[in-house]
Amino acid sequence: AQTVTQSQPEMSVQEAETVTLSCTYDTSENNYYLFWYKQPPSRQMILVIRQEAYKQQNATENRFSVNFQKAAKSFSLKISDSQLGDTAMYFCAFMTKDDKIIFGKGTRLHILP
Amino acid sequence: SAVISQKPSRDICQRGTSLTIQCQVDSQVTMMFWYRQQPGQSLTLIATANQGSEATYESGFVIDKFPISRPNLTFSTLTVSNMSPEDSSIYLCSAGGNKETQYFGPGTRLLVL
């Protein structure tokens, strides 16, 4: 069975700093998709970034980038120049072959002024 | 990206009653899903809502407790039946399919007294 592990329950960083959120996963599949979702206090789940496992190039989206290490089954999220609006719960997620999403337990990120 | 709405956004219900949550997508989608997010927890998949056929439930969730309908490619309902305080959660629907990114509705916050 696929699992997603986020080892950092909570993190705090100063505004404008860079922060990296860790995620590891376990699967026997070779082609799959990984995501980072953000859930601010409003509770809306917002897609941050998506990575296809068959692509070696790490995905980037403005200030957000990932470090995807397929052999190590690692998928960390880097947030550069962090902003107060980045304060949220961040979920790492794995999409199974039948499109179901498995979420990690989340990392609560606080951006401090 | 799909825009997803849910109704109601929140409700307070009495023990033993049932609540039906509606999920509307602004475009036709292949797959729709229902998730539960208990207080302070991650998202757990309840079931896949199949258009024109019975939903596919995950382990620990049954049709009698969580009946689901999906009459067309843009709409689904989830009913939480015979509610107890343990059903107090946020219920979210998502839409996607064919390995496309899943987008989430804003959630329905349910409190059972």
Side-chain angles (χ1 to χ4, degrees):
Chain A
Q2 293 93 344
T3 58
V4 178
T5 302
Q6 294 180 249
S7 59
Q8 304 149 312
E10 195 160 1
M11 299 180 71
S12 296
V13 295
Q14 294 294 137
E15 191 176 8
E17 290 185 348
T18 294
V19 61
T20 298
L21 281 58
S22 301
C23 173
T24 58
Y25 59 94
D26 189 24
T27 182
S28 58
E29 297 179 16
N30 191 44
N31 293 321
Y32 48 87
Y33 299 79
L34 296 162
F35 304 87
W36 279 96
Y37 282 92
K38 166 185 175 181
Q39 188 179 43
S42 67
R43 295 292 182 181
Q44 176 73 55
M45 291 288 286
I46 301 167
L47 175 71
V48 176
I49 202 163
R50 164 191 168 110
Q51 175 80 45
E52 289 88 351
Y54 61 86
K55 290 186 178 179
Q56 291 187 337
Q57 187 174 5
N58 289 325
T60 64
E61 194 69 41
N62 299 316
R63 298 182 295 108
F64 298 88
S65 62
V66 297
N67 183 5
F68 173 50
Q69 302 289 330
K70 190 173 183 179
K73 295 180 181 175
S74 171
F75 183 61
S76 61
L77 174 70
K78 185 172 82 171
I79 306 174
S80 303
D81 184 27
S82 57
Q83 301 175 358
L84 296 178
D86 295 333
T87 292
M89 195 77 167
Y90 287 81
F91 292 100
C92 179
F94 174 97
M95 180 180 280
T96 70
K97 59 185 177 185
D98 47 2
D99 286 275
K100 299 176 184 179
I101 291 185
I102 299 169
F103 288 90
K105 292 186 180 298
T107 296
R108 187 174 300 278
L109 177 64
H110 302 274
I111 308 299
L112 307 173
Chain B
S1 63
V3 177
I4 303 171
S5 59
Q6 285 185 234
K7 285 197 272 190
S9 59
R10 60 177 59 218
D11 208 341
I12 301 173
C13 300
Q14 295 298 318
R15 182 195 300 259
T17 62
S18 298
L19 176 72
T20 296
I21 303 168
Q22 299 179 3
C23 179
Q24 179 74 55
V25 188
D26 68 341
S27 58
Q28 292 186 344
V29 290
T30 307
M31 303 185 80
M32 296 180 72
F33 302 88
W34 287 98
Y35 291 83
R36 181 175 73 182
Q37 187 176 25
Q38 295 179 304
Q41 303 294 316
S42 185
L43 283 75
T44 300
L45 180 64
I46 297 172
T48 304
N50 300 309
Q51 195 266 327
S53 64
E54 196 170 281
T56 305
Y57 290 85
E58 298 301 303
S59 176
F61 298 96
V62 295
I63 187 171
D64 290 346
K65 178 66 175 177
F66 298 102
I68 288 170
S69 78
R70 189 172 172 201
N72 56 51
L73 292 175
T74 64
F75 185 79
S76 178
T77 67
L78 168 75
T79 298
V80 186
S81 302
N82 188 25
M83 289 184 284
S84 68
E86 292 71 33
D87 295 320
S88 298
S89 290
I90 297 173
Y91 293 86
L92 301 100
C93 69
S94 72
N98 298 324
K99 302 299 176 280
E100 294 294 320
T101 296
Q102 279 186 32
Y103 293 95
F104 285 80
T108 295
R109 187 185 296 265
L110 171 62
L111 176 63
V112 184
L113 302 177

